């Protein structure tokens, strides 16, 4: 590994950074509102099924490709000798840019809510609509957030990403645990738990399946090469299988607890679970208010501060992907790459910034709003498609035995194990086939209005 590329300092460092990429707005903002839109527990069941059956093998493959080549997602395919396949890496880069463009806007909301909570403005929950349509203010928060991301990414691997992830993740888990317990004590909490945990399978429609698959990929940061990039900084001593398992369990666990905290709050406050992207922003300030002014301010500020940090460790990984590409493949100095790309992505994000009330055109774009539309393209279509192509590539182009050899580094018992059999079957048949089929149906439904399922 080139000395100037950097490497994670320890096992925990990599797992924390990758889990930091995975855990973010996807778990705490997106997951609960997707559950609410998708009819509750039935969505949760599908999501869990997709995470473990389809996403876990994709994660292992991405990390292995990254570590094998020590390259960004485009360079990785070239490094393995398959230049034509680097188009998959380029698609990932494009998808990451789209995701970061709107993700940064929502991260700005979270940061803005932190400032509101510090001053005890619990009414911000009821005024969410006015808050997000105040585009100048939200743009300012977005600029701050993108700048913070850029500062961390220009610090490089050791200095920035790893250090931040190390401190913040455990604190976030603690505060969510506290809120889950508190939520359970509220009146009518059990109605929320029931909505969340008792599946009604008649709720499963094509649209719920596509959303659950997109959410699984998004939440685990898969399908666009973020974990190829992080994998490129991992040492050969690392056990890829157990790291991937730990990252998946942490991410799914946090999403699961975020839901367990949200729905009791939603039901006990008499709100609508299908509140869409505003769900946590409307619900939580009102829930914090019930804690009383002092505790409400403390918990409310702490919560939105930690949510902002969780978002930051994800935006960092999103920005790191195009930056590592420009640094490795086009020899840009790191600092120049960081600031140029961050500025570019901020500009791309302006329509999303205006899509929540500020501009009627973008707020009613393509039958929903521009931000939701980008989610259909990036999360629900390009990420699963990326996962499909990456597993197909590993199984049939790079070849299974090469993947196995890479995974066996740092994991001497891998070859011949049941895990190897599972990974091989998954990447050869289950992932490419299922992901291709579902992605195809997603495209028909989301963009052509043809609903097969
Ligand atoms: N997984 C992150 C989240 O849940 C979002 C993300 C997607 C980050 C893709 C990197 C790549 O918030």
């Amino acid at each position: 590994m080139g000395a100037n590329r950097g490497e994670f300092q320890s096992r925990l460092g990599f797992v924390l950074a990758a889990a930091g990429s995975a855990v973010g707005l996807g778990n705490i903002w997106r997951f609960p509102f997707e559950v609410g839109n998708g009819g509750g527990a039935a969505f949760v069941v599908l999501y869990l099924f997709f995470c473990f059956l389809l996403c876990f093998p994709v994660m292992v493959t991405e990390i292995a490709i990254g570590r094998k080549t020590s390259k960004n997602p485009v360079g990785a395919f070239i490094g393995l000798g398959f230049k034509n396949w680097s188009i998959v890496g380029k698609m990932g880069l494009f998808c990451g840019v789209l995701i970061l463009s709107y993700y940064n806007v929502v991260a700005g909301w979270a940061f803005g809510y932190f400032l509101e909570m510090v001053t005890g403005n619990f009414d911000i929950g009821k005024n969410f609509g006015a808050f997000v349509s105040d585009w100048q203010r939200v743009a300012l928060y977005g600029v701050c957030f993108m700048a913070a991301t850029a500062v961390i990414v220009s610090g490089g691997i050791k200095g920035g990403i790893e250090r931040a992830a190390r401190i913040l993740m455990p604190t976030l888990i603690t505060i969510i645990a506290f809120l889950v317990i508190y939520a359970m004590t509220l009146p009518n909490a059990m109605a929320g738990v029931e909505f969340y945990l008792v599946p009604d399978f008649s709720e499963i429609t094509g649209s719920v399946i596509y959303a659950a698959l997109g959410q699984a990929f998004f939440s685990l940061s898969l399908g666009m090469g973020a974990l190829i990039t992080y994998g490129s900084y991992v040492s050969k001593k690392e056990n890829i299988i157990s790291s991937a398992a730990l990252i998946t369990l942490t991410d799914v666990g946090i999403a699961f607890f975020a839901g367990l905290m949200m729905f009791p709050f939603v039901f006990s406050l008499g709100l609508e679970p299908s509140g869409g992207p505003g769900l946590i922003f409307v619900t939580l300030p009102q829930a914090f208010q019930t804690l009383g002014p002092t505790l409400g301010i403390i918990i409310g500020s702490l919560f939105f501060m930690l949510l902002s940090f969780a978002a930051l460790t994800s935006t960092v990984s999103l920005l790191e992907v195009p930056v590592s590409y420009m640094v490795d493949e086009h020899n840009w100095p790191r600092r120049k790459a960081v600031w140029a790309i961050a500025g570019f992505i901020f500009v791309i994000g302006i329509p999303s910034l205006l899509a929540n009330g500020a501009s009627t055109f973008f707020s009613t774009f393509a039958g929903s709003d521009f931000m939701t539309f980008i989610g259909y393209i990036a999360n629900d279509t390009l990420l699963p498609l990326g996962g499909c192509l990456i597993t197909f590539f590993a199984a049939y182009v790079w070849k299974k035995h090469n993947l196995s050899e890479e995974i066996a580094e740092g994991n001497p018992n891998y070859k011949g194990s049941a895990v190897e059999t599972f990974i091989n079957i998954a990447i050869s048949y289950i992932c490419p086939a299922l992901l291709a089929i579902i992605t195809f149906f997603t495209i028909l439904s989301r963009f052509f209005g043809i609903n097969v399922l």
Side-chain angles (χ1 to χ4, degrees), residues 200-277:
D200 168 3
F201 288 108
S202 69
E203 294 279 354
I204 297 186
T205 60
S207 174
V208 172
I209 297 175
Y210 315 142
L213 183 67
Q215 176 60 23
F217 270 83
F218 179 78
S219 180
L220 289 165
S221 304
L222 292 177
M224 50 143 294
L227 290 188
I228 295 183
T229 308
Y230 272 20
S232 75
Y233 305 115
V234 170
S235 104
K236 291 280 186 203
K237 293 195 276 298
E238 201 79 59
N239 180 334
I240 294 181
I241 296 287
S242 60
S243 301
L246 210 59
I247 296 161
T248 306
L249 288 172
T250 309
D251 186 65
V252 171
I254 292 186
F256 183 78
F257 282 110
L260 204 55
M261 156 189 96
M262 276 305 295
F263 290 102
F265 281 147
V266 169
F267 279 75
S268 84
L269 291 164
L271 299 170
E272 267 307 312
S274 58

Side-chain angles (χ1 to χ4, degrees), residues 24-38:
L25 296 170
N27 309 59
I28 293 161
W29 162 69
R30 207 164 203 284
F31 177 71
F33 91 70
E34 290 281 358
V35 173
N37 284 347

Side-chain angles (χ1 to χ4, degrees), residues 34-52:
E34 290 281 358
V35 173
N37 284 347
F43 180 97
V44 180
V45 172
L46 278 175
Y47 166 81
L48 292 176
F49 174 77
F50 289 147
C51 283
F52 291 109

Side-chain angles (χ1 to χ4, degrees), residues 91-179:
M91 189 179 89
L93 238 57
F94 172 68
C95 181
V97 167
L98 288 185
I99 293 180
L100 183 53
S101 76
Y102 79 81
Y103 198 96
N104 185 63
V105 174
V106 182
W109 298 351
F111 177 63
Y113 262 56
F114 159 65
L115 301 177
E116 296 297 330
M117 286 296 113
V118 171
T119 61
N121 179 13
F122 298 111
D123 286 341
I124 190 73
K126 297 188 189 103
N127 298 330
F128 172 73
F131 173 84
V132 288
S133 54
D134 182 353
W135 69 270
Q136 281 148 323
R137 179 167 166 207
V138 179
L140 182 68
Y141 296 145
V143 168
C144 296
F145 212 90
M146 192 62 96
T149 307
V151 168
I152 295 191
V153 175
S154 47
I157 284 298
K158 271 186 299 222
I161 301 174
E162 186 171 345
R163 193 160 3 122
R166 215 174 247 278
I167 316 165
L168 300 166
M169 289 275 296
T171 327
L172 179 67
I173 295 174
T174 315
I175 189 154
I176 292 179
F178 166 82
L179 286 169

